[in-house]
Amino acid sequence: SKFEYVKAFEKEVYLLPETYMVVRVDGRGFHKLSETYKFEKPNDLNALELMNKAAQSVMEKIPEALLAYGDSDEYSFLLQKNCEIFERREAKLTSTFSSTFTAYYNFYWKDYFPNSPLTPERLPTFDARVVLYPNQQNVKDYFSWRQVDCHINNLYNTTFWQLILKKGLTPQESEKRLMGTLSSDKNEILFTELGINYNDEAEIYKKGTVLIREWELKDDQPSLNERELSKRQKDRLRKKFRKAKIQKYHIDIINEGFWNERPWLLES
Amino acid sequence: SKFEYVKAFEKEVYLLPETYMVVRVDGRGFHKLSETYKFEKPNDLNALELMNKAAQSVMEKIPEALLAYGDSDEYSFLLQKNCEIFERREAKLTSTFSSTFTAYYNFYWKDYFPNSPLTPERLPTFDARVVLYPNQQNVKDYFSWRQVDCHINNLYNTTFWQLILKKGLTPQESEKRLMGTLSSDKNEILFTELGINYNDEAEIYKKGTVLIREWELKDDQPSLNERELSKRQKDRLRKKFRKAKIQKYHIDIINEGFWNERPWLLES
Amino acid sequence: SKFEYVKAFEKEVYLLPETYMVVRVDGRGFHKLSETYKFEKPNDLNALELMNKAAQSVMEKIPEALLAYGDSDEYSFLLQKNCEIFERREAKLTSTFSSTFTAYYNFYWKDYFPNSPLTPERLPTFDARVVLYPNQQNVKDYFSWRQVDCHINNLYNTTFWQLILKKGLTPQESEKRLMGTLSSDKNEILFTELGINYNDEAEIYKKGTVLIREWELKDDQPSLNERELSKRQKDRLRKKFRKAKIQKYHIDIINEGFWNERPWLLES
Amino acid sequence: SKFEYVKAFEKEVYLLPETYMVVRVDGRGFHKLSETYKFEKPNDLNALELMNKAAQSVMEKIPEALLAYGDSDEYSFLLQKNCEIFERREAKLTSTFSSTFTAYYNFYWKDYFPNSPLTPERLPTFDARVVLYPNQQNVKDYFSWRQVDCHINNLYNTTFWQLILKKGLTPQESEKRLMGTLSSDKNEILFTELGINYNDEAEIYKKGTVLIREWELKDDQPSLNERELSKRQKDRLRKKFRKAKIQKYHIDIINEGFWNERPWLLES
Ligand SMILES: Nc1nc2c(ncn2[C@H]2C[C@H](O)[C@@H](COP(=O)(O)OP(=O)(O)OP(=O)(O)O)O2)c(=O)[nH]1
Ligand SMILES: Nc1nc2c(ncn2[C@H]2C[C@H](O)[C@@H](COP(=O)(O)OP(=O)(O)OP(=O)(O)O)O2)c(=O)[nH]1
Ligand SMILES: Nc1nc2c(ncn2[C@H]2C[C@H](O)[C@@H](COP(=O)(O)OP(=O)(O)OP(=O)(O)O)O2)c(=O)[nH]1
Ligand SMILES: Nc1nc2c(ncn2[C@H]2C[C@H](O)[C@@H](COP(=O)(O)OP(=O)(O)OP(=O)(O)O)O2)c(=O)[nH]1
Ligand SMILES: O=P(O)(O)OP(=O)(O)OP(=O)(O)O
Ligand SMILES: O=P(O)(O)OP(=O)(O)OP(=O)(O)O
Ligand SMILES: O=P(O)(O)OP(=O)(O)OP(=O)(O)O
Ligand SMILES: O=P(O)(O)OP(=O)(O)OP(=O)(O)O
Ligand SMILES: [Mg+2]
Ligand SMILES: [Mg+2]
Ligand SMILES: [Mg+2]
Ligand SMILES: [Mg+2]
Ligand SMILES: [Mg+2]
Ligand SMILES: [Mg+2]
Ligand SMILES: [Mg+2]
Ligand SMILES: [Mg+2]
Ligand SMILES: [Mg+2]
Ligand SMILES: [Mg+2]
Ligand SMILES: [Mg+2]
Ligand SMILES: [Mg+2]
């Protein structure tokens, strides 16, 4: 029809080839949402496990996602460097990840919050973005950045809430008490004033959650550079990926050892 | 931390100011999904009304959306030309619309398909994109394009399925029968061979659905150019938008009359 | 060859259709360059006329440029809203305008500065950018912005240098004297202390220079919407553009009258 | 002024950090230009050396350019991976390279073509683009791609023109003669029919020209990751770069050896 010219106004952004793509989703307005549905403070185990369940489901649906790391209301997914998912179109990536994560989070909600049914006034939704990283060090640093952030937030939140719960401080007093304190100070407050050894806190709170597609490139397998693969080899590889089990950990990913033991994460 | 430099790799796309933004969401793999959940062919009224319900809910959550048009598994939302929603950041727009639409579609599913509960193997998800249009004519032409598309698809699908249902053709035979036919030919086949007057088909199938925020700029109201509004005026205006009723129609939007009667849609 | 895959890393940005494109070139490091070649202060008429010559030559080479406005070391070119120059590829536009402007500026240098030959240590070069404007008001405001800027700078520079030349102030003293002054204050200083009526200054200094392709859409001519033109009609139109004379003015372009008298500038 | 809002329509593209940037300039319409100024066919040594002179001058002006490769009417410049030149703004890069290259090419023209002065109807101009490459292999492949292209074109052009010059073929006949021939066929034609050993052709024609900033990272020097350098260290480094001699070669850059011997090209 004579209206079809409007299609030409669509602008495609094709993301740089051979570059790592990380997609991060983050809950929209979860400060409010965590109050509406009465999440436990500072950490609600069910809320975190529901995030993990949604992320794992996303990884099962999207085989190009090799690794995921999450804490609080966010999750980051690492895609294969060479993958041609959605022809590397940015809007397809952001919208599909946000939509798929949202669908699973909402679907499994009832299993994790059987007594707090969702109400249409406040359904959980997630924004998403893609970030490009040109080399392995950048990718490691990205995930380290998120895990350090998890640690900083969790140490703060733990101390903040324990001061309220155990010492009867008001939120304002607790905030003031922590202003300007270093990590070592918070550890000290927890230990001396509140009788808590921060090291004994649950690993899922301190470290967040890592999901890994447990898959290893064998010597007899074709190289992973998609450019060098035939259509059939690609399909076979994809199938293998899809079958690989996804494992859940609460471990240190800042350490080089983590990456050295799983070379396929960054080489593929 | 020393890892924070990775944040700088995030690239923000701020969409051109004073330009109309249209967000289109489209169901991912609805060909398959419509079979899994046994949608009626060619049109499933419940499926369409669920789309409408989700779109209306999105409009209620996002007051900047003035108009929406949908058919099949897609919906297009028109945002105010001057609006500063998400600072006009593209990834925020695409991911929020896809996520919010998905959340509502899944939430209300049970009301429209009480006998076909969702299964985690195939949850409904939606991609999204933003398209910019610099002037009013472009916007009208965009929505005309979608409505023409609805018409073309519906005329084809109606004839295709009626040939199967009433004349016992196989899908292959029906496809072959329609190859190369014009609209007038299909109307003729429907009328002469199948005893159907296409004009009598339901308006929602022929025209799709328009959702309009019924809101009118009064003379005593401030101009809508956000640049010229104070923070307080903006908030007041936003509130008004939020309160305005959203009406549902199955009417012709290709006609100039549609737009002339609702000048606020393109002027605000 | 097996190396050809690298071509795919090139990213094309196609600028939004039906949107005004303005290309602005600006001299690189002209603060230093104006000292090297001893430009007169605050305004060097030869330098300005060389800018005008280069800009006019650019317009002759690139018929899509309808209007240009320049002052100091910068020039802005307005392109037809619908033009498909370089398929609207951004890098082609910026690099071609900067290159072409540079070539002419250097070529004609000897005619305007016969006694200051160029030295390879400091050749004049220009950066360039494209800016998109969706509607006529934006375009008018853009050019008004540049002319207001010319006025502000010229009033300041005139007063600054006259204080030095006529009153023997050092640059530091002159700067200090003008700190915090309004336009009216500077006019007053010029008039009372320096015996200069700012209104009597040369128009080219106060208003900058406008170059206009003097071309008018006649009723018997095809519409200018390129979409609706055949290849042959387009070529004929382009030829007409190329032939139209380019006129030079030093006039007010902030006034609505300027645009109303030349409707083709914004309608084509 | 009230017009300043238009500045916000400028869109900056900041290129991905830690990614190699290659800027390629290419003569605009050099097919025609080479006829206007009577370049020798198929290779005009003066034209090529003028390209080299312009490229070398660009490298002297822009110390971030480590390497350049050129042939025919094009030149590609490799920038340091970590460099923050122009804050990595794309339009600044393309316009500055095209403008600077153009200025030098035009300036030195008279030294290489003393008998063919430039005329304003056809001044040499150059377009430019930036391409991003995430890793070392991509960069090597990029330059290999250009050198292979040089070889293919030169072998073709040499044979094409020798058939005309020595065998009296018309251009049409020569073109037809070469249609469908492989490299080996052309070598054979040259040798058997035209008495030319392609290997004996000048290296500058067969290999193009490489310009290298001869600079080596010593062990006692700071790392080149700009993030880890203080402002002062950066300035010292930049100074060193600026002083390093630029050497000209006509050698094979496809070979790994070329890169291994000059590790600083890809590591810095
Ligand atoms: N009580 C509780 N709150 C949580 C838990 N996990 C996340 N949250 C809340 C605390 C934070 O306010 C919020 C996450 O911070 P964000 O920076 O993402 O803020 P929010 O989602 O409110 O805003 P946004 O839409 O992302 O800009 O989610 C939890 O396990 N328990
Ligand atoms: N039976 C039935 N099918 C419908 C209805 N509405 C939409 N569909 C199906 C028919 C089409 O195959 C599909 C919409 O076409 P699309 O071009 O969006 O394809 P699809 O969603 O499969 O792929 P995509 O992921 O969007 O590329 O949805 C309906 O009311 N009844
Ligand atoms: N003496 C003199 N100087 C002029 C004249 N026209 C322009 N200039 C100089 C004064 C300013 O320092 C400079 C233009 O200002 P810009 O903001 O463009 O600065 P500049 O080109 O130095 O730096 P840039 O590379 O554009 O960031 O050019 C003139 O007619 N006479
Ligand atoms: N006779 C002669 N011609 C040359 C020489 N070097 C380059 N050329 C000409 C031959 C080609 O037609 C042209 C380079 O090819 P391009 O693909 O860059 O084409 P051209 O610059 O005409 O168009 P463009 O504006 O780049 O799209 O320059 C030379 O040494 N001698
Ligand atoms: O943690 P982020 O990156 O989401 O940080 P933010 O402060 O929420 O910023 P944004 O507006 O980019 O989501
Ligand atoms: O109708 P569209 O625009 O979604 O068309 P498509 O063929 O599905 O293409 P796309 O890959 O852009 O969704
Ligand atoms: O006048 P402009 O826009 O060139 O302003 P600038 O301060 O020179 O900034 P830029 O770095 O964008 O050229
Ligand atoms: O050699 P290139 O990349 O310049 O190839 P082109 O065919 O001239 O294409 P372009 O329009 O991108 O300059
Ligand atoms: Mg956020
Ligand atoms: Mg959040
Ligand atoms: Mg968060
Ligand atoms: Mg689609
Ligand atoms: Mg679909
Ligand atoms: Mg669809
Ligand atoms: Mg500038
Ligand atoms: Mg300047
Ligand atoms: Mg300037
Ligand atoms: Mg080219
Ligand atoms: Mg060329
Ligand atoms: Mg070329």
Side-chain angles (χ1 to χ4, degrees), chain A residues 5-6 92 98-99 102 127 141, chain B residues 5 92 98-99 102 127 141:
Chain A
Y5 79 93
V6 299
K92 289 276 178 187
S98 65
S99 176
T102 301
D127 67 27
D141 288 348
Chain B
Y5 79 93
K92 290 276 179 187
S98 64
S99 175
T102 300
D127 68 25
D141 288 348

Side-chain angles (χ1 to χ4, degrees), chain B residues 75-91:
Chain B
Y75 241 99
S76 298
F77 298 87
L78 173 65
L79 300 182
Q80 293 167 66
K81 180 170 69 164
N82 278 304
C83 80
E84 290 295 332
I85 182 174
F86 302 122
E87 305 160 82
R88 303 178 80 91
R89 288 163 62 185
E90 183 169 21

Side-chain angles (χ1 to χ4, degrees), chain A residues 25-31 72-74 125-127:
Chain A
V25 299
D26 183 285
R28 299 187 58 238
F30 266 49
H31 183 71
S72 183
D73 68 339
E74 71 169 63
T125 58
F126 295 82
D127 67 27

